[in-house]
Amino acid sequence: MNLSSISLQKYHISNEFGFLIEEPLEYLPEYFQQWNSVAKAMPELVKTKQLRDAVHKMTLLNFKQLHGHRQYRLAHLQLSLIAVGYIWQEGDSGAAKTLPENLSVPWCGVSEYVGLQPVICHASLVLCNWRYTDDGRTVECLYKLPGGSDAEWFITVTVRTELAFAEGLQNLMQVLNYAELNNKQELVDCLIKATQTVKSMQKTVSTMHEKLSAEIFYDVMRPFLTGWGGAGSPLPDGIIYEGVNDKPMKMTGGSAAQSSTIQCIDAILGVKHSQENNDFLMNMRHYMPPSHREFLSAIERESKVKSVVETCDCVKLREAYNQCVKAVVDFRSYHIQIVTKYIVLMANRESRNKDYESLATMGTGGSSILPFLKSLRSTTSDCLKETEN
């Protein structure tokens, strides 16, 4: 069997865990104990309005005392949680316009080292914030957001969605292989399996409803996932990272679009979005680890899947491809349902949390969320028409 020219290991992607970090660290060495303790206590410190005081007591640590990729990734997670707690502890009206040097200098240094932005993002909150419990079956998160068990459920469901993708990743790479070899029969079988991967991801996302309250997500958790800067933000100019820059910097907050999973499947299937939406998705890649965005670019260059389907006279292949695309359309439709429940309906309540009025119906990633998601679904559906004979 021909192996893919795209090596997962080359792009720091796990055969077993996909984009997730294998066995992420929970604590940094003793020198960084201040970061360990404040990040662990972040939800309680925010609740009691003590997080800013805790940050002011922290000393400026030398981030170059960190060793290895996993320590740096954990540091980015810890400092991101501490920073968003510091910024949003007092709500919109009391949002901090400046991060103190003892936080901003190491955060920006760590961010530069790992190739991420100094803002909370999917790569930290999800990809290196998980572990299996002792039974090896249950996922739990290492660090939490305000929101108690609901917040932990939000993170662990997102982790399990990444794991559902990872289970099908080797097969997805074979989709690329067999398209390259023009092996239609094997390509059919692999596309059928790829469809099951997307359905498994949707089934996992659907468990979000089981233990995540829409009110807690919107009123308690969501503010700490948002970024800063731009129209509608309580910090329209962004924030000043003291000791790093004199002018405010704008940052996009955490977003599902920062996950490489669906962007990977789009790339394999040859799904093309509108220029405006594609620009946004490309911007989201700047919040992914550099090796992961390079991986997505490599797939976009190499995938011949759609061209093989469009030029073939094999009915089974077109059917298998279209079933896979349809599964992605269904996934996007389900995502719209989730967003409607947890954001749009919550934003329209009279009883919503007025401390964070600026969020309205914007996504934490800064997009006007429903039109954006519906447009992505529409351009995905267009692939079905393009492959019909």
Side-chain angles (χ1 to χ4, degrees):
M1 182 179 294
N2 213 21
L3 294 177
S4 174
S5 60
I6 298 177
S7 163
L8 296 179
Q9 289 71 31
K10 175 184 175 182
Y11 296 101
H12 304 108
I13 299 167
S14 166
N15 287 322
E16 185 175 357
F17 302 113
F19 298 110
L20 294 162
I21 285 188
E22 294 192 40
E23 298 181 359
L25 301 174
E26 184 173 4
Y27 296 105
L28 293 173
E30 181 64 27
Y31 175 78
F32 297 99
Q33 182 53 36
Q34 295 172 77
W35 297 357
N36 289 331
S37 59
V38 176
K40 274 288 184 183
M42 179 270 205
E44 184 60 29
L45 291 172
V46 167
K47 183 178 179 181
T48 58
K49 309 290 187 184
Q50 293 179 310
L51 189 134
R52 289 184 183 175
D53 290 339
V55 169
H56 293 151
K57 293 174 183 175
M58 287 176 12
T59 53
L60 174 57
L61 300 180
N62 180 7
F63 72 89
K64 293 182 180 179
Q65 295 289 324
L66 294 163
H67 297 288
H69 186 70
R70 291 197 301 163
Q71 284 192 13
Y72 271 92
R73 288 290 296 276
L74 173 56
H76 190 274
L77 167 61
Q78 290 181 345
L79 295 170
S80 296
L81 289 170
I82 295 169
V84 296
Y86 187 94
I87 292 167
W88 300 116
Q89 175 181 287
E90 304 296 333
D92 274 6
S93 60
K97 297 179 181 179
T98 302
L99 281 179
E101 186 175 5
N102 61 345
L103 178 55
S104 60
V105 168
W107 193 25
C108 289
V110 166
S111 298
E112 183 177 6
Y113 181 90
V114 296
L116 294 172
Q117 304 295 326
V119 70
I120 199 162
C121 60
H122 181 86
S124 289
L125 186 64
V126 177
L127 298 186
C128 62
N129 187 26
W130 72 284
R131 68 176 168 213
Y132 281 119
T133 52
D134 292 339
D135 62 12
R137 293 194 300 264
T138 307
V139 171
E140 61 183 6
C141 63
L142 305 175
Y143 289 83
K144 302 176 184 178
L145 290 166
S149 59
D150 292 68
E152 182 166 10
W153 187 249
F154 170 76
I155 294 170
T156 56
V157 169
T158 310
V159 170
R160 290 193 290 111
T161 304
E162 292 279 343
L163 287 168
F165 170 84
E167 288 180 7
L169 183 52
Q170 291 289 343
N171 173 70
L172 287 167
M173 293 299 97
Q174 292 302 324
V175 170
L176 294 173
N177 284 341
Y178 291 124
E180 176 73 29
L181 297 169
N182 204 26
N183 186 331
K184 296 181 179 63
Q185 182 53 56
E186 295 288 357
L187 184 53
V188 167
D189 293 341
C190 287
L191 283 169
I192 290 171
K193 291 176 184 176
T195 300
Q196 293 308 311
T197 295
V198 179
K199 289 182 176 180
S200 177
M201 291 171 65
Q202 181 177 325
K203 183 177 179 181
T204 303
V205 171
S206 74
T207 64
M208 196 73 79
H209 301 287
E210 295 176 10
K211 299 180 183 179
L212 177 61
S213 154
E215 288 80 8
I216 288 179
F217 175 79
Y218 190 89
D219 292 337
V220 181
M221 295 167 50
R222 192 165 175 259
F224 299 94
L225 295 171
T226 196
W228 36 88
S233 171
L235 299 166
D237 298 323
I239 63 170
I240 293 174
Y241 294 74
E242 195 174 81
V244 178
N245 61 299
D246 297 327
K247 296 182 179 179
M249 293 171 62
K250 300 177 182 180
M251 289 287 160
T252 299
S255 168
Q258 293 169 356
S259 169
S260 299
T261 56
I262 291 296
Q263 288 213 39
C264 175
I265 293 170
D266 274 354
I268 290 171
L269 297 176
V271 175
K272 303 292 184 185
H273 298 292
S274 70
Q275 188 62 54
E276 181 182 0
N277 289 340
N278 189 63
D279 288 346
F280 178 81
L281 292 172
M282 291 302 106
N283 181 52
M284 288 298 95
R285 293 189 186 181
H286 291 295
Y287 296 83
M288 299 176 183
S291 58
H292 294 177
R293 57 178 181 257
E294 290 166 10
F295 173 73
L296 295 177
S297 295
I299 290 178
E300 286 171 336
R301 288 194 305 269
E302 299 295 331
S303 179
K304 295 181 172 57
V305 176
K306 190 178 179 186
S307 62
V308 169
V309 174
E310 288 178 327
T311 57
C312 82
D313 56 1
C314 177
V315 175
K316 286 186 177 180
L317 178 55
R318 289 200 305 276
E319 288 177 349
Y321 175 86
N322 285 340
Q323 283 300 312
C324 195
V325 172
K326 180 65 164 56
V328 178
V329 172
D330 291 344
F331 184 92
R332 294 197 186 282
S333 292
Y334 197 79
H335 189 198
I336 290 169
Q337 292 179 38
I338 291 274
V339 166
T340 300
K341 173 182 176 178
Y342 286 98
I343 298 177
V344 178
L345 294 179
M346 291 298 99
N348 292 326
R349 291 170 303 150
E350 284 298 319
S351 60
R352 67 185 179 276
N353 185 352
K354 302 295 173 55
D355 288 341
Y356 297 98
E357 227 6 49
S358 68
L359 286 175
T361 53
M362 296 291 285
T364 50
S367 61
S368 184
I369 195 161
L370 278 187
F372 169 69
L373 294 177
K374 288 178 179 178
S375 181
L376 292 182
R377 180 179 61 182
S378 176
T379 47
T380 307
S381 295
D382 288 344
C383 282
L384 298 173
K385 301 171 187 174
E386 291 165 5
T387 54
E388 288 175 353
N389 280 356

